[in-house]
Amino acid sequence: QITLKESGPTLVKPTQTLTLTCTFSGFSLATSGVGVGWIRQPPGKALEWLALIYGNDLKRYSPSLQSRLTVTRDTSKNQVVLTMTNMDPVDAGTYFCAHRPYDPFGSMYFDYWGQGALVAVSS
Amino acid sequence: QSVLTQPPSASGSPGHSITISCSGSSSNIGSNFVYWYQQFPGTAPKLLIYRNNQRPSGVPDRFSGSKSGTSASLAISGLRSEDEADYHCTAWDDSLSSAVFGGGTKLTVL
């Protein structure tokens, strides 16, 4: 059974760096083609894809946020970490990590999601 | 402003059918697979349809997806009260080199 869970601060100040950890079980990030992605959702708004990391350490980022994002993995701990610099109130919302399955067509989609971590940005 | 366009709301009566549209362009829906997620308030999205029209195990066959050109649709037949949720479409965009989402459609079962 695949599970994922996000953890991190619920409140960050403007200009600070947000660090979120995704701890997962039920799959190995070392499996070819498998990845862990990050998606966020401001309150009452649309989903927005942020980043994806594969077991071979290949990383993909949303071009609009790439300069502020870093995603890393620790396969021994079954964890993926997302950092986002220079946080702003518009970055507030729920941040989800999710499992990207192997796909023979190379598509990016997510079949298992964490419960989400709600992050507020305020001084 | 989302790259993919969905109606913000939709409604239907129990037992009836409804279709939710998702409009894009040649760089996203027109050239890549479309995926649909179902999301209840305060919970994570759940994969509903993958590769345009495939259902993951456990998703009732009341849910179906289709794609034509630069648009996609999610159809729900035999509407039930438990289908009340937000529905999101997504696809990869070759021009943006990014996954893009629709704004989401809130379904109300009257």
Side-chain angles (χ1 to χ4, degrees):
Chain A
Q1 179 188 3
I2 291 176
T3 64
L4 306 99
K5 187 173 184 180
E6 308 85 353
S7 58
T10 57
L11 175 67
V12 297
K13 291 181 167 56
T15 75
Q16 285 188 335
T17 293
L18 171 69
T19 299
L20 292 172
T21 300
C22 177
T23 303
F24 59 86
S25 63
F27 68 95
S28 171
L29 201 48
T31 302
S32 178
V34 169
V36 172
W38 287 93
I39 305 97
R40 71 177 179 179
Q41 185 175 36
K45 296 189 177 181
L47 296 165
E48 179 181 18
W49 172 69
L50 301 177
L52 174 69
I53 186 168
Y54 293 97
N56 61 2
D57 210 30
L58 175 66
K59 302 164 189 178
R60 306 195 79 165
Y61 295 101
S62 166
S64 63
L65 292 167
Q66 183 168 3
S67 63
R68 299 173 54 204
L69 295 172
T70 302
V71 63
T72 59
R73 61 167 172 63
D74 186 331
T75 51
S76 65
K77 292 183 178 179
N78 279 356
Q79 290 182 334
V80 170
V81 176
L82 176 78
T83 60
M84 179 180 286
T85 61
N86 195 24
M87 291 291 286
D88 182 272
V90 300
D91 296 313
T94 302
Y95 286 71
F96 299 99
C97 64
H99 172 263
R100 187 268 188 188
Y102 165 76
D103 184 84
F105 299 94
S107 301
M108 184 191 301
Y109 66 100
F110 305 101
D111 56 355
Y112 292 91
W113 294 58
Q115 62 189 25
L118 182 60
V119 178
V121 184
S122 175
S123 54
Chain B
Q1 191 85 359
S2 299
V3 174
L4 304 182
T5 301
Q6 296 181 239
S9 63
S11 62
S13 301
H16 288 210
S17 299
I18 195 166
T19 299
I20 296 172
S21 62
C22 177
S23 178
S25 67
S26 58
S27 63
N28 43 64
I29 293 178
S31 52
N32 293 295
F33 290 118
V34 177
Y35 301 82
W36 291 89
Y37 295 94
Q38 177 190 57
Q39 184 180 30
F40 297 105
T43 70
K46 168 192 170 184
L47 182 65
L48 201 61
I49 297 289
Y50 66 101
R51 288 190 219 134
N52 300 336
N53 54 21
Q54 302 298 302
R55 284 186 307 276
S57 174
V59 173
D61 58 7
R62 300 187 298 106
F63 295 89
S64 63
S66 63
K67 187 182 98 166
S68 178
T70 60
S71 293
S73 295
L74 173 70
I76 310 173
S77 62
L79 275 172
R80 300 182 178 181
S81 59
E82 57 259 39
D83 296 333
E84 279 206 348
D86 293 328
Y87 294 85
H88 308 270
C89 61
T90 182
W92 183 259
D93 191 295
D94 293 331
S95 295
L96 297 174
S97 293
S98 177
V100 292
F101 285 90
T105 298
K106 182 177 181 61
L107 173 64
T108 301
V109 180
L110 303 169

